[in-house]
């Protein structure tokens, strides 16, 4: 059993509610803790520190990996002015192996962006074709070895659909909504990375990235339910506040008329 949350991007309230919901159960965060157009850098750092101090399983996201000293890429949203602080934070977590590339729980494979049909090109002697914990273990071994020796890996592929030159995306970049490649149907999986207005649920996978929504969605593997941690009343008030802000901005822009 586990409670799983998608991309956080510096949202302290989302992090707090996620960690406080059924705290007796394991919790899994799917990566992308920093880089935000809305949240100040202090909130982004607080989010990482809150999660790192908790028992939650933390996955690497592309926006976390690009602050490492030996980063495999630079994503959009990279905060050059804060890169030193964030590099120190994530380099320390890397040394402790506090974050993982993949996690297996309750029959679900958790990665940041999804595991493609054919194993993202990763085929080490069959262990990545096993529908079990061995799959996640194999991905993590390969991930840390590739990062340590600065080796190219299909796990790090950036697809054309996301501005790269690879034919398909690796587990940090795959985009099932814009790429032609299919997700691996031999494993049930849950991931974030590709923002949607609401969680997307199919027979084989769930996309749980709703970054800019007022909703705070989590997935409970024991009940197999999606739960919104915000009440309908909270959502109504937040929507009303957003509408008032937009109206004020429009009136200011139009000179008050």
């Amino acid at each position: 059993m586990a409670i799983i949350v998608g991309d956080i991007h510096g949202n302290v309230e989302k992090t707090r509610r996620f960690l406080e919901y059924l705290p007796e159960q394991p919790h899994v965060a799917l990566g992308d803790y920093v880089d935000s157009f809305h949240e100040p850098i202090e909130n982004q750092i607080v989010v990482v520190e809150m999660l790192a101090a908790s028992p939650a399983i933390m996955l690497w996201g592309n926006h976390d990996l690009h602050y490492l000293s030996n980063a495999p890429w630079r994503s959009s949203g990279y905060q050059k002015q804060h890169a030193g602080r964030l590099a120190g934070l994530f380099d320390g977590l890397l040394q402790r192996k506090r974050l993982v590339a993949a996690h297996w729980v309750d029959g679900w494979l958790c990665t940041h962006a999804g595991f493609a049909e054919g194993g993202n090109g990763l085929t080490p002697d069959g262990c990545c074709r096993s529908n079990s914990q061995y799959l996640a273990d194999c991905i993590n071994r390969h991930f840390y070895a590739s990062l340590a020796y600065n080796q190219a890996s299909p796990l790090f592929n950036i697809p054309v659909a996301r501005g790269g030159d690879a034919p398909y995306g690796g587990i940090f970049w795959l985009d099932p909504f814009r790429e032609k490649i299919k997700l691996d149907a031999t494993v049930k999986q849950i991931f974030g990375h590709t923002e949607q207005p609401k969680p997307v649920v199919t027979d084989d996978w769930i996309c749980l990235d709703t970054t800019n929504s007022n909703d705070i969605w989590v997935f409970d593997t024991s009940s197999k339910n999606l739960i919104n941690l915000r009440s309908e009343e909270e959502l109504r008030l937040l929507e009303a506040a957003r509408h008032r802000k937009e109206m004020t901005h429009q009136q200011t822009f139009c000179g008050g008329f």
Side-chain angles (χ1 to χ4, degrees), residues 21-247:
Y21 181 71
L22 298 180
E24 70 280 3
Q25 292 194 27
H27 284 58
V28 181
L30 297 174
D32 276 6
Y33 311 110
V34 298
D35 292 349
S36 171
F37 294 114
H38 313 291
E39 302 291 346
I41 185 61
E42 297 303 334
N43 284 9
Q44 297 173 50
I45 290 174
V46 164
V47 159
V48 178
E49 291 176 341
M50 286 173 65
L51 289 164
S54 78
I57 300 295
M58 298 174 68
L59 271 64
W60 287 104
N62 57 299
H63 284 275
D64 314 312
L65 279 166
H66 71 171
Y67 288 108
L68 293 177
S69 298
N70 58 339
W73 55 66
R74 289 283 185 265
S75 306
S76 62
Y78 182 78
Q79 302 169 90
K80 187 175 181 179
Q81 69 275 31
H82 303 303
R85 294 178 68 186
L86 292 169
L89 182 62
F90 283 112
D91 280 344
L93 293 171
L94 176 68
Q95 291 176 6
R96 293 163 48 196
K97 291 192 175 181
R98 178 62 182 85
L99 282 72
V100 295
H103 182 66
W104 186 276
V105 61
D106 254 4
W108 291 87
L109 175 66
C110 303
T111 61
H112 177 61
F115 191 69
E117 190 174 55
N120 285 115
L122 188 64
T123 54
D125 299 328
C127 72
C128 278
R129 312 311 318 141
S130 301
N131 191 8
S132 70
Q133 176 65 47
Y134 293 111
L135 173 57
D137 291 344
C138 174
I139 293 172
N140 286 323
R141 286 196 302 271
H142 184 83
F143 165 79
Y144 275 110
S146 299
L147 207 58
Y149 295 103
N150 199 26
Q151 296 175 339
S153 166
L155 292 180
F156 300 138
N157 278 357
I158 305 176
V160 173
R162 287 293 188 126
D165 56 9
Y168 59 86
I171 62 170
F172 305 103
W173 284 100
L174 192 144
D175 186 335
F177 303 95
R178 290 192 285 176
E179 289 188 63
K180 294 181 179 179
I181 195 166
K182 296 179 180 178
L183 287 158
D184 193 325
T186 67
V187 293
K188 293 181 72 66
Q189 50 182 307
I190 185 165
F191 52 88
H193 180 63
T194 304
E195 184 185 354
Q196 301 294 308
K198 298 285 184 182
V200 178
V201 180
T202 76
D203 291 339
D204 301 314
W205 52 266
I206 297 173
C207 179
L208 198 54
D209 179 10
T210 57
T211 300
N212 291 308
S213 168
N214 287 328
D215 301 302
I216 301 178
W217 290 101
V218 296
F219 181 67
D220 185 340
T221 64
S222 58
S223 67
K224 297 182 175 60
N225 287 327
L226 285 162
I227 298 101
N228 193 343
L229 300 184
R230 287 202 191 276
S231 67
E232 290 185 8
E233 177 64 12
E234 283 182 293
L235 291 170
R236 186 186 67 78
L237 292 173
L238 286 168
E239 180 59 25
R242 183 192 66 80
H243 180 70
R244 287 194 299 271
K245 184 177 180 180
E246 288 179 352
M247 291 298 294

